[in-house]
Amino acid sequence: RHRMNHVNPAPLEEVRQRWMHGFAETAGRQAVALKRHLENQGAHEMTTTETPTSRATSVRVESELRVEAPPARVFTALTAEQHAWYPYNYGGERVRDIVFEPRVGGAVFEDWGDGAGHHYGTVTHYDTPTAVTIRGGLPGGTVLENVFHLEADGDATVVRHSMTAFGDLSDDDLAGIRSHGDMSLFEPQLRAWVEKGKRAR
């Protein structure tokens, strides 16, 4: 009338170890991570990757020009009408227009049609007709920022412009920034465009 049952502990121990090993390992890793965090709290580590051939360079080109027109007219020419008078672009004959979205966060880009084009940057400061800032970049991670300040001077407008570039700039990049970024070099084209519009009215 009595039945005796015996338990073999070896298979149960194998099951226990198989199940508990994963939990214990995870808990151990978390405990070590927490310990390291608490011991190094306040210490900040930053890992950087450096290429031996790279060189971070900063260049800033500043210019000032005077146009015989009110600030609102000059502001429009510098932003919405750039394609009509500025002689350089990326797309050449493909450029249908240079789009300027007049708001903070707006895009500035060349429209080549069918969604193609070249992005100049994003408007980060917009205060018509006195100031606008566009921040973009060049291939290779270079940051490029254009800042325009316009001030009325009688019937004319004084435009102060600065272009700042920072990144791994080659000698060709630096030469292009210095020539294309100096707005005073394009004062005749801007004046001719603004005055043409004034004569038409």
Side-chain angles (χ1 to χ4, degrees):
R1 294 189 181 184
H2 295 279
R3 182 173 179 175
M4 304 297 293
N5 294 309
H6 298 277
V7 176
N8 183 353
L12 290 174
E13 179 61 18
E14 289 177 356
V15 172
R16 186 192 73 80
Q17 288 182 6
R18 195 164 53 241
W19 278 87
M20 294 303 295
H21 178 72
F23 293 114
E25 186 176 301
T26 301
R29 282 198 304 264
Q30 291 174 344
V32 171
L34 177 60
K35 179 177 181 290
R36 287 179 181 162
H37 171 71
L38 293 174
E39 288 175 350
N40 296 308
Q41 194 159 12
H44 300 280
E45 295 181 7
M46 182 173 64
T47 303
T48 59
T49 303
E50 295 184 5
T51 306
T53 58
S54 68
R55 55 175 189 166
T57 306
S58 176
V59 62
R60 183 172 187 167
V61 180
E62 296 183 332
S63 53
E64 182 176 303
L65 51 154
R66 180 186 172 90
V67 181
E68 296 297 325
R73 176 69 195 107
V74 178
F75 189 89
T76 299
L78 289 170
T79 55
E81 299 172 351
Q82 180 183 344
H83 186 44
W85 61 270
Y86 188 74
Y88 297 105
N89 59 49
Y90 290 91
E93 296 297 323
R94 293 186 294 168
V95 180
R96 296 181 177 183
D97 193 12
I98 296 177
V99 178
F100 180 92
E101 297 177 345
R103 58 183 174 79
V104 170
V108 184
F109 61 94
E110 291 180 5
D111 178 12
W112 299 350
D114 298 323
H118 179 85
H119 186 252
Y120 287 175
T122 303
V123 179
T124 59
H125 179 79
Y126 185 79
D127 188 13
T128 181
T130 59
V132 63
T133 300
I134 303 164
R135 180 173 295 168
L138 297 174
T142 296
V143 177
L144 194 65
E145 185 173 73
N146 278 285
V147 180
F148 293 89
H149 288 285
L150 287 73
E151 183 180 339
D153 183 15
D155 294 333
T157 299
V158 175
V159 180
R160 294 179 180 87
H161 170 255
S162 68
M163 176 186 280
T164 305
F166 178 79
D168 184 9
L169 300 168
S170 67
D171 291 338
D172 288 342
D173 293 332
L174 290 170
I177 289 167
R178 289 190 178 107
S179 60
H180 299 163
D182 185 354
M183 290 300 296
S184 64
L185 299 176
F186 311 108
E187 185 172 353
Q189 290 94 327
L190 176 60
R191 280 176 138 178
W193 172 252
V194 170
E195 289 173 5
K196 176 183 176 183
K198 188 162 62 172
R199 286 195 301 271
R201 289 193 295 274

